[in-house]
Amino acid sequence: MPDVTDLRIAVNRLSRTLRAQTADSSVTDAQFSALARLHRDGAMTLADLSRQDGVTPPSMTKTVAVLLERGLVSKCEHGDDRRKVLIGATPAGAAFVEETRRRRDDWLTPRLAALTADERTTLADATGILRRLAQQ
């Protein structure tokens, strides 16, 4: 069994380093998470976005307000219910997500290439395991 503390520290350090590779460091992790979800999954209501991101609606309201102000998301009427509003990524928001992902991939790619074939295989196996752990 791996040392739990060592694993936690390694995952946190890697996560922090990858999160730092962003198109604009003034966008918080919570803002990027919401924007990336909208870019990936399409427009949705604030309630759906907060539920899927695992935060409270008031917290998501603040996050979306900043993204709206920066022009990274927009609001439009819900097709089925005029009382609801859909929030979606703008072209600028989509470009921001794609640029941030490109920067993160560019940081990680040469580091993975420097590993041995066995190490890359081990990491490929660990990726599925880490994904399962994150879903629990």
Side-chain angles (χ1 to χ4, degrees):
M1 179 170 197
D3 181 274
V4 173
T5 301
D6 285 345
L7 177 61
R8 179 181 45 78
I9 290 170
V11 168
N12 282 335
R13 284 184 180 157
L14 179 59
S15 178
R16 263 195 315 272
T17 302
L18 282 170
R19 284 191 319 260
Q21 313 306 310
T22 182
D24 180 346
S25 62
S26 68
V27 173
T28 67
D29 292 338
Q31 292 163 359
F32 183 77
S33 177
L35 180 59
R37 182 172 302 280
L38 291 169
H39 176 61
R40 183 184 65 235
D41 297 340
M44 62 184 75
T45 66
L46 183 75
D48 289 338
L49 182 58
S50 60
R51 185 174 27 262
Q52 289 187 28
D53 246 21
V55 298
T56 64
S59 177
M60 186 56 72
T61 297
K62 292 175 186 174
T63 296
V64 167
V66 172
L67 295 172
L68 279 165
E69 184 179 301
R70 296 185 69 145
L72 299 174
V73 300
S74 63
K75 290 182 178 181
C76 65
E77 286 185 8
H78 191 285
D80 298 334
D81 186 344
R82 293 177 55 144
R83 295 170 296 171
K84 292 183 180 178
V85 173
L86 292 176
I87 301 157
T90 63
F96 181 88
V97 169
E98 290 165 8
E99 175 62 15
T100 296
R101 287 179 178 161
R102 185 197 61 75
R103 288 178 185 218
R104 290 173 178 177
D105 289 350
D106 287 352
W107 181 89
L108 190 54
T109 298
R111 286 159 177 84
L112 292 176
L115 299 176
T116 67
D118 286 344
E119 288 171 325
R120 285 192 298 274
T121 298
T122 299
L123 273 180
D125 293 342
T127 300
I129 296 166
L130 289 170
R131 191 175 290 121
R132 282 198 325 265
L133 285 173
Q135 292 173 349
Q136 293 178 0

